[in-house]
Amino acid sequence: MLDSRADSGFRWLVTGAGILVLISLAAAAFSMLWGGLEAFEKFGVAFLWRDAWDPVLQDFGARVPIFGTLVTAFIALLIAVPISFGIAMFLTEISPRWLRAPVGTAIELLAGIPSIIYGMWGLFVLVPFLSVNIYPWVDENFGQLPVIGTLFSGPPLGLGMGTAGLVLAIMVIPFISSVMREVFLTVPGRLKESAYALGSTRWEVIWDIVLPYTRSAVIGGIFLGLGRALGETMAVTFVLGNAHRLSLSLLEPGNSIAATIANEFSEADSPMYLSSLIALGFVLFLVTFVVLTIARLMLRQLKKREGN
């Protein structure tokens, strides 16, 4: 009888914890929607694709920050995913045993560094290096190419979406690589040993055995890193340039939702200005929610295929 009551109480306790998460999520979304209601009432749904941002004329739109948020996050994943995969493969399949623990610990320490440290390093070290040694060469050699030249042309300021994406990549690599390493370690040794016994190369074992076995978890780790990149604030604020204009060039300054809110929230001197910033927060919530929902749908489809 006592065990039954304890089990029932524990069930209600953990159920309440789960419901609390949902309530907190709904409350955060509703509070941001309520705070941005004035902006949505004035600009409507067009707030999402208007590129104006003029506090003097009280004219606001979220197009530029949304564009900057998505582009910098995409650049971060484009750089971080293959590097994280290489790190995880090295630690689980190639590295000598005496080196695995130090490298693994170093990666975990990188994940614990505050984002403002990454931002300061990016501003004082990475930006001058890129503006002098890398971006002039990129502009000269790739800026004149057809179609893609627009992405790599522009003044070599060092500040811009390319730099922000690079800093974000450095920040999310520890998260993605740690997840990949842990899931790669769950692959049964018998599967890999059997493949080696049949004459498979190390690459074939990784590609045909390890990755299929851990595909769902790897994709989940990638989207975990994407969520971190979408919501990052301080590091991006330091190196993005904070210019509210739409440009396809990765070398030119831009803006993101988080950076816009961080830079201008204390300067919001009118109800409409403040409401527009809070509306941006709600938009960021929606963007993150949509991205994570897509990730869940992808994982569900993968599980169905694996089941079949």
Side-chain angles (χ1 to χ4, degrees), residues 79-96 99-108 110-111 169-185 203 206 210:
I79 298 172
V81 170
I83 295 178
S84 299
F85 176 77
I87 292 173
M89 282 292 99
F90 173 76
L91 291 177
T92 56
E93 302 293 333
I94 301 174
S95 172
L99 189 59
R100 292 179 183 179
V103 175
T105 302
I107 293 173
E108 293 172 358
L110 285 175
I170 296 172
M171 293 182 64
V172 302
I173 282 174
F175 293 92
I176 300 177
S177 61
S178 295
V179 173
M180 286 186 177
R181 182 190 62 175
E182 294 300 325
V183 298
F184 288 165
L185 290 174
W203 171 252
I206 293 172
V210 176

Side-chain angles (χ1 to χ4, degrees), residues 23-75:
I23 293 175
S24 301
L25 185 66
F30 179 76
S31 62
M32 287 184 291
L33 178 61
W34 183 263
L37 193 60
E38 185 175 350
F40 286 123
E41 286 179 347
K42 179 177 180 180
F43 304 112
V45 182
F47 177 79
L48 299 177
W49 56 78
R50 299 178 78 254
D51 56 4
W53 193 267
D54 192 336
V56 177
L57 298 179
Q58 301 292 288
D59 191 15
F60 302 99
R63 182 180 177 182
V64 174
I66 291 176
F67 178 78
T69 300
L70 295 178
V71 169
T72 53
F74 176 75
I75 295 172

Side-chain angles (χ1 to χ4, degrees), residues 31-40 43 47-48 53 60 62 66 257 261 265 272-286:
S31 62
M32 287 184 291
L33 178 61
W34 183 263
L37 193 60
E38 185 175 350
F40 286 123
F43 304 112
F47 177 79
L48 299 177
W53 193 267
F60 302 99
I66 291 176
I257 296 177
I261 297 173
F265 198 83
M272 180 57 66
Y273 195 180
L274 182 61
S275 179
S276 298
L277 290 173
I278 299 177
L280 276 183
F282 180 72
V283 171
L284 180 58
F285 177 88
L286 289 181

Side-chain angles (χ1 to χ4, degrees), residues 43 50 54 78 108 132 138 157 239 247 252 254:
F43 304 112
R50 299 178 78 254
D54 192 336
L78 197 64
E108 293 172 358
V132 174
V138 170
L157 302 176
V239 300
S247 174
E252 294 188 10

Side-chain angles (χ1 to χ4, degrees), residues 1-19:
M1 186 68 177
L2 184 61
D3 292 340
S4 176
R5 290 181 179 179
D7 185 67
S8 177
F10 178 74
R11 184 174 66 251
W12 282 108
L13 181 64
V14 296
T15 301
I19 294 175

Side-chain angles (χ1 to χ4, degrees), residues 22 29 31 132 161 193 250 276:
L22 296 178
S31 62
V132 174
M161 289 188 291
E193 292 170 1
L250 301 180
S276 298

